[in-house]
Amino acid sequence: MKLSDDIEEKGLLLVFLMVSLYFVVETRNFPLEPSLFPLFAGIITIFCAGLLLFADYLPEPIRQTVMASGIEFDDSEIQDDIADQTDYSSETVTTAAEAITEDGAEGMGLRVPVALTTAYILLSYLVGFFWVTPFFVATYCIWARLPRHITALITGIGLALVWILVVYFNVPLDSGLIDLPIRVWRP
Amino acid sequence: MMLEALIEAFTTLFSWPTLGFMILGVILGILVGATPGIGSALGIALLLPLTISLGGIDALLLLVGIYSGSSYAGSVAAILINTPGSASAAAATFDGYPMARKGKAKDALSAAATASALGGFFGIIVLILISPYILEIVLLFGSPQYFLLALLGLVLISVVAQGAVLKGIIAGSFGLLLTTIGFSPMGSTQRYTFGSIHLLDGLSFVAALLGLFALAEMFKLAVEGGSISKSDVGLSGSALDGAKETVKRPIIVLKSSIIGILIGAIPGAGATISTFIAYIETVRSSDEPETFGRGNIDGVVAVDSASNATISGSLIPTISFGIPGSAATAVLLGALIMHGLDPGPDLFGANIDITYTLLLGIFFGNFVILIGGIFFISRISYVTQIDSNIIIPVVIVLAATGSFMLRNNWVDPITLLLVGFLGYYMKKYNYSIIAFVLGIVLGEIAEANLIRSMHLSEYSPVIFVESPLSIFLLLCTVFVLFGPMVKEAIQARRG
């Protein structure tokens, strides 16, 4: 495991730990009955996340038990079995099983999709989904280097989907916190 | 009673527009399933908010139609471009793609459709036949047992998932924890609302499902890159020959279907495992095992029979106890609850006609798969080659607006974003997403059962060990939880 992966995974465990700690501590403000379930779920999360977070500092036998895997329906074993009995090599079988991710386009990182989606939702909160959707879709397509005609088509599809929700499902997607002086055209 | 309920279900299913929604669901499922990177769980999750304006049974038939159609269509991309539409269709590449390369793409596609339909028919017939016995078992459960069963389900799913057991438990219990936001279920205490009225009704599990299955999946697709493989095989061969060849293999269909039902009924297992095991069993029992992997139609038949039969198997724990067998049934469970149907005795007692309507919907949906798979699938094969960068922004728009439309509450798109981000990292580091979903969907029911049990026993935990069934469930939980850890410890000691 790379160092950055290790830090990321520890960060994830910290999130679980901190959120659960807050939930458990806050139960002091509740009567007994409503505090039972959050206490129960919170303590389990804290205990398990704590064990995993500090697994490296545990004695070896306990560490192995903590890191124990479940009932392994591990594909690799099955794939070896298939490879033994058929004309396929184990490598080919594995590749086929993972083809969704390995046979396609090169990945483009997480930061931009997350930043775009966050901006999309926050701006939509301000002015409404209908007005932000075309900018979000077009920006994504341009970032993904899709051809212009595809960008235009997908932007149109995105806008049409939101328009259908506004007009036929009566969802107020054309307004947000800031009240724009324009509304969606309704037939 | 069973016959009356079946007749009522039959009448409901064949009324208009109910039948139309079922057919539409299967067609959408085929389109969704054939597109690499989009699976049944994502398809159901995206459509979930839109079904709120439909009647309960129409909505559920639309959603189970998607589930059923996509379970078959995953094989379409596997056969044509060697890229399975979903992980459960990975085994279909072994013989399906070599068949296509030999000029028998249509044979393989129609064999997959026929096997899928036959597996589906068999699975549903078995499920209908055993339904009276399921009711007898379900009626043995009271509030304490339901609470213990929810725990057992979470533990079972955590243990079946890959990676450390503790990660599965964290995912499940964290999901449970998130459901405690808002009013407590049997009182009026506000919990974790920060004084905001937007949080009084808690987090929307639909927004969370969309975050996990739509947003997290799209982030993953953006990072890893999706399939834009171009087909290097022509659509040649004979569709009718493929169907005929499948019908000539009843033993393979039957055996694979039984494997599918049995494995599907294990919470957390699902079609990925059942299809691999059905394939191995077919290779093992074949007289010519060396021909597998070179385009043996037996391999295609085994995989697709098992895949569709798994649906029936996974529905058993889902509708009887609320413990889903797979990611798609976890979302389906959310749909049941959203439309006012709690899993449990009602779905096998007072509401048995609804259960039978769903089962008959899947049964007759298989005819759509059969006809579509034999006569039309080659015409929509281009969807297998859609660039993932085209799919990603459209899915994100649908997920964001869908999360908002149910309650017009801005907390829901924010939930979508946060859970989507969390879900991405949970997937990356092998945390069980099904356990997380189960926690989110079942949290409120589990808490209500815990509180009810506490009321019944005047706050004595002894109620959880009073009946033999409770003790049995507790022992099962302990065994499932600590069994693998003890085994690992013993193996480590032996060196």
Side-chain angles (χ1 to χ4, degrees):
Chain A
M1 187 184 275
K2 285 187 292 185
L3 183 64
S4 59
D5 284 349
D6 193 37
I7 293 169
E8 269 182 4
E9 189 168 6
K10 290 262 159 50
L12 183 61
L13 281 168
L14 262 179
V15 169
F16 288 130
L17 196 65
M18 299 312 286
V19 175
S20 314
L21 263 174
Y22 167 75
F23 272 65
V24 167
V25 170
E26 191 69 7
T27 54
R28 287 180 311 167
N29 301 324
F30 309 149
L32 173 68
E33 205 174 271
S35 66
L36 279 177
F37 196 69
L39 263 178
F40 169 78
I43 288 171
I44 292 175
T45 315
I46 291 168
F47 180 70
C48 295
L51 277 178
L52 279 182
L53 197 59
F54 300 108
D56 293 344
Y57 305 102
L58 296 171
E60 189 54 24
I62 299 174
R63 200 188 76 84
Q64 278 184 356
T65 310
V66 164
M67 302 302 285
S69 298
I71 302 162
E72 288 281 354
F73 282 112
D74 191 356
D75 287 356
S76 59
E77 212 170 281
I78 298 172
Q79 285 157 9
D80 285 345
D81 211 345
I82 292 170
D84 286 346
Q85 296 183 51
T86 69
D87 196 37
Y88 261 57
S89 71
S90 180
E91 200 179 319
T92 315
V93 175
T94 312
T95 309
E98 291 167 357
I100 294 174
T101 57
E102 302 213 343
D103 198 30
E106 200 181 319
M108 291 192 271
L110 182 66
R111 280 180 199 165
V112 176
V114 168
L116 279 176
T117 309
T118 308
Y120 173 49
I121 288 174
L122 293 180
L123 287 173
S124 298
Y125 172 66
L126 290 178
V127 295
F129 278 104
F130 184 82
W131 312 110
V132 185
T133 295
F135 294 101
F136 165 71
V137 178
T139 311
Y140 188 94
C141 291
I142 291 166
W143 171 74
R145 294 187 193 133
L146 290 176
R148 278 183 196 170
H149 67 284
I150 299 281
T151 301
L153 181 70
I154 304 301
T155 306
I157 289 173
L159 194 61
L161 286 172
V162 183
W163 182 78
I164 288 169
L165 292 178
V166 174
V167 174
Y168 294 101
F169 288 82
N170 272 324
V171 191
L173 297 171
D174 56 342
S175 58
L177 191 67
I178 301 166
D179 198 17
L180 294 179
I182 39 173
R183 285 286 176 270
V184 169
W185 171 77
R186 289 160 199 263
Chain B
M1 181 187 164
M2 183 179 165
L3 195 64
E4 280 171 24
L6 270 173
I7 293 169
E8 199 179 330
F10 199 83
T11 316
T12 309
L13 179 66
F14 283 92
S15 62
W16 191 258
T18 307
L19 184 67
F21 282 114
M22 185 271 287
I23 295 171
L24 178 68
V26 178
I27 294 170
L28 284 175
I30 291 174
L31 290 172
V32 160
T35 313
I38 311 259
S40 47
L42 198 161
I44 300 170
L46 277 182
L47 260 280
L48 201 52
L50 297 175
T51 63
I52 197 72
S53 57
L54 300 177
I57 197 66
D58 292 348
L60 293 171
L61 277 170
L62 181 79
L63 299 173
V64 294
I66 294 175
Y67 183 23
S68 182
S70 59
S71 87
Y72 150 66
S75 296
V76 176
I79 290 166
L80 292 179
I81 58 172
N82 203 27
T83 302
S86 59
S88 61
T93 57
F94 302 152
D95 283 290
Y97 183 62
M99 274 185 79
R101 295 202 69 162
K102 282 180 179 174
K104 289 186 170 180
K106 284 186 181 173
D107 299 57
L109 288 171
S110 68
T114 312
S116 180
L118 292 175
F121 289 143
F122 180 75
I124 293 297
I125 289 170
V126 169
L127 193 47
I128 289 176
L129 288 177
I130 64 169
S131 60
Y133 305 103
I134 295 177
L135 175 64
E136 285 178 24
I137 298 168
V138 172
L139 284 175
L140 296 173
F141 285 68
S143 287
Q145 290 80 23
Y146 268 115
F147 177 70
L148 291 173
L149 192 69
L151 289 191
L152 175 60
L154 276 172
V155 168
L156 202 54
I157 284 172
S158 309
V159 168
V160 170
Q162 286 186 357
V165 175
L166 285 186
K167 288 184 179 179
I169 296 171
I170 292 170
S173 54
F174 194 71
L176 290 176
L177 203 56
L178 292 184
T179 64
T180 61
I181 295 172
F183 279 123
S184 57
M186 300 179 87
S188 55
T189 309
Q190 289 182 34
R191 299 181 296 190
Y192 316 112
T193 60
F194 304 101
S196 165
I197 54 165
H198 299 296
L199 280 167
L200 286 183
D201 288 331
L203 302 182
S204 155
F205 68 74
V206 177
L209 290 177
L210 283 167
L212 285 172
F213 291 108
L215 211 55
E217 207 55 53
M218 291 305 105
F219 288 159
K220 190 168 169 246
L221 210 55
V223 170
E224 294 174 340
S227 174
I228 52 166
S229 311
K230 298 289 177 254
S231 179
D232 59 352
V233 294
L235 276 168
S236 49
S238 162
L240 284 176
D241 283 355
K244 280 182 200 161
E245 287 298 316
T246 307
V247 177
K248 286 179 191 166
R249 290 163 168 77
I251 301 294
I252 295 176
V253 171
L254 198 66
K255 209 161 51 172
S256 305
S257 302
I258 292 170
I259 290 171
I261 294 170
L262 292 177
I263 292 179
I266 302 170
T272 311
I273 294 158
S274 70
T275 49
F276 272 111
I277 292 178
Y279 185 81
I280 285 183
E281 174 51 29
T282 308
V283 176
R284 192 197 60 77
S285 57
S286 171
D287 294 334
E288 302 166 315
E290 70 284 354
T291 60
F292 284 81
R294 294 177 181 175
N296 189 329
I297 195 169
D298 289 2
V300 177
V301 173
V303 167
D304 277 274
S305 314
S307 176
N308 204 332
T310 307
I311 293 178
S312 310
S314 66
L315 283 176
I316 297 172
T318 307
I319 51 183
S320 49
F321 298 112
I323 310 293
S326 63
T329 40
V331 187
L332 214 50
L333 175 65
L336 279 173
I337 294 170
M338 194 180 95
H339 286 282
L341 293 169
D342 283 343
D346 274 359
L347 282 175
F348 286 95
N351 290 327
I352 184 80
D353 55 310
I354 293 176
T355 306
Y356 282 160
T357 310
L358 290 181
L359 299 184
L360 288 179
I362 298 174
F363 187 89
F364 287 102
N366 285 315
F367 282 109
V368 182
I369 291 176
L370 195 59
I371 295 165
I374 294 176
F375 297 108
F376 300 107
I377 199 71
S378 53
R379 293 178 195 176
I380 59 156
S381 57
Y382 63 88
V383 298
T384 60
Q385 296 167 39
I386 294 177
D387 186 340
S388 61
N389 280 317
I390 292 175
I391 296 166
I392 291 169
V394 177
V395 169
I396 292 176
V397 167
L398 277 175
T401 51
S403 68
F404 178 76
M405 71 180 284
L406 277 184
R407 308 192 300 180
N408 294 352
N409 186 342
W410 279 99
V411 166
D412 297 342
I414 294 165
T415 306
L416 168 97
L417 187 65
L418 294 178
V419 173
F421 197 56
L422 186 70
Y424 169 79
Y425 282 105
M426 286 175 73
K427 280 180 190 187
K428 187 174 176 185
Y429 294 108
N430 278 332
Y431 284 78
S432 169
I433 293 297
I434 308 181
F436 189 44
V437 170
L438 189 61
I440 288 172
V441 174
L442 277 190
E444 206 174 316
I445 298 174
E447 182 172 11
N449 280 315
L450 173 69
I451 301 296
R452 222 173 282 140
S453 307
M454 289 284 117
H455 280 180
L456 287 171
S457 66
E458 294 174 347
Y459 293 91
S460 164
V462 177
I463 194 165
F464 294 113
V465 287
E466 265 180 2
S467 78
L469 182 59
S470 300
I471 296 170
F472 172 73
L473 290 170
L474 267 178
L475 286 176
C476 283
T477 309
V478 172
F479 177 75
V480 169
L481 185 59
F482 293 107
M485 294 185 190
V486 172
K487 187 181 151 199
E488 195 113 345
I490 292 170
Q491 278 175 346
R493 189 160 288 182
R494 282 180 186 164

